[in-house]
Amino acid sequence: MIEPIQGEGGFNVPQEGFLEYLRKLTNKYGMLLITDEIQCGIGRTGKFFAIENWDIEPDLICLAKSLAAGLPLSAVIAKKEITDTLPGGCIGGTYVGNPVACRAALEVINIIEEENLLDRALKIGERLKERFLQMKGKYPLIGEIRGIGAMRAIELVKDQKTKEPATQETARIVEECIKNGVFVPTAGINKNILRMLVSLEITDEQLDEALDVLEKAIAKV
Ligand SMILES: Cc1ncc(COP(=O)(O)O)c(C=O)c1O
């Protein structure tokens, strides 16, 4: 079970060939390959499923979060040969199949299609990447810039060579951003990654405004 791009882990994009290797390995031993797309799925990377960025097919996909735009809903998608092995009604739970949340999810799927939000995710991602690269040229605190599509992150380091995590500085930047109305969540085991989880409905003006707040905070720290 793997997140195609790690969320809490720090927006780590797997090394080239790694997911293909996992697929081969799981096929070889008759194991299922499950992708957890709870954070990286539903268009965030410019594809509906994050795994579509690679030329492999998982056996199961887990979804939640953006699926119903914040209403509580999760889903497990599986190949037919897997679902066919399950007796009817065997996946249950108190909140399973909530009609309001399901309706919201259908609307989310429609809106993603009607408003071309997969393309929008790529454009947001390009805008984020461009600004982050400009910032990297100005502020030695910025280490790696990573991610796919609108799922982008900045790593903050004390030293470009040793990559020592700038944990306290990251916390100060978040505090400074919050004071100015922008919430930037952190990630990574050292909490030195600033991750962007912007709504795909964000306008360019709103995005630029938020990035200005972020840049000012980085400059101050
Ligand atoms: C990648 C990933 N998987 C699973 C979870 C947990 O999902 P849930 O809160 O729906 O159980 C989260 C975050 O909450 C997540 O980011």
Side-chain angles (χ1 to χ4, degrees):
M1 184 168 192
I2 188 164
E3 294 176 76
I5 301 167
Q6 284 183 335
E8 305 302 313
F11 282 22
N12 298 305
V13 178
Q15 212 176 331
E16 214 183 307
F18 179 66
L19 291 173
E20 291 83 353
Y21 168 76
L22 270 189
R23 180 67 281 186
K24 271 194 199 135
L25 196 71
T26 46
N27 281 345
K28 182 174 168 190
Y29 292 105
M31 295 158 75
L32 297 179
L33 179 65
I34 304 172
T35 55
D36 174 345
E37 302 222 5
I38 288 172
Q39 195 160 147
C40 61
I42 325 279
R44 194 164 288 285
T45 66
K47 305 274 188 195
F48 190 80
F49 298 115
I51 197 66
E52 290 176 89
N53 288 290
W54 292 268
D55 194 19
I56 59 166
E57 215 177 64
D59 301 295
L60 274 103
I61 299 177
C62 304
L63 297 172
K65 299 201 190 297
S66 312
L67 177 61
L71 287 188
L73 189 71
S74 58
V76 178
I77 299 172
K79 288 185 174 170
K80 193 168 182 313
E81 59 261 36
I82 297 169
T83 53
D84 280 352
T85 64
L86 303 168
C90 79
I91 301 178
T94 308
Y95 303 113
V96 161
N98 177 283
V100 178
C102 289
R103 187 71 187 87
L106 289 174
E107 243 2 270
V108 166
I109 294 166
N110 281 340
I111 289 170
I112 287 176
E113 214 172 303
E114 280 165 15
E115 297 183 16
N116 285 324
L117 292 187
L118 300 184
D119 286 346
R120 180 69 190 139
L122 293 179
K123 292 206 179 87
I124 291 170
E126 280 311 307
R127 213 170 177 97
L128 289 172
K129 190 177 163 188
E130 200 183 315
R131 276 295 291 270
F132 291 166
L133 287 173
Q134 281 170 11
M135 290 184 207
K136 187 173 159 63
K138 290 198 238 172
Y139 311 107
L141 197 58
I142 299 182
E144 199 187 3
I145 286 160
R146 56 186 180 234
I148 298 184
M151 194 169 177
R152 297 264 163 197
I154 303 177
E155 177 197 37
L156 297 174
V157 293
K158 287 188 176 179
D159 185 304
Q160 290 290 336
K161 276 202 193 112
T162 62
K163 301 267 179 212
E164 189 190 337
T167 306
Q168 282 171 356
E169 290 81 353
T170 310
R172 280 167 53 206
I173 290 168
V174 171
E175 214 180 283
E176 199 60 38
C177 285
I178 289 173
K179 271 192 224 156
N180 292 291
V182 173
F183 176 58
V184 184
T186 58
I189 48 171
N190 295 305
K191 300 240 171 292
N192 67 322
I193 314 292
L194 292 173
R195 61 182 155 146
M196 307 297 129
L197 288 164
V198 300
S199 163
L200 302 184
E201 295 281 356
I202 199 167
T203 63
D204 286 345
E205 293 70 33
Q206 288 168 330
L207 188 59
D208 288 344
E209 194 184 332
L211 286 168
D212 289 344
V213 167
L214 175 63
E215 178 160 0
K216 272 191 198 132
I218 293 175
K220 191 168 173 184
V221 170

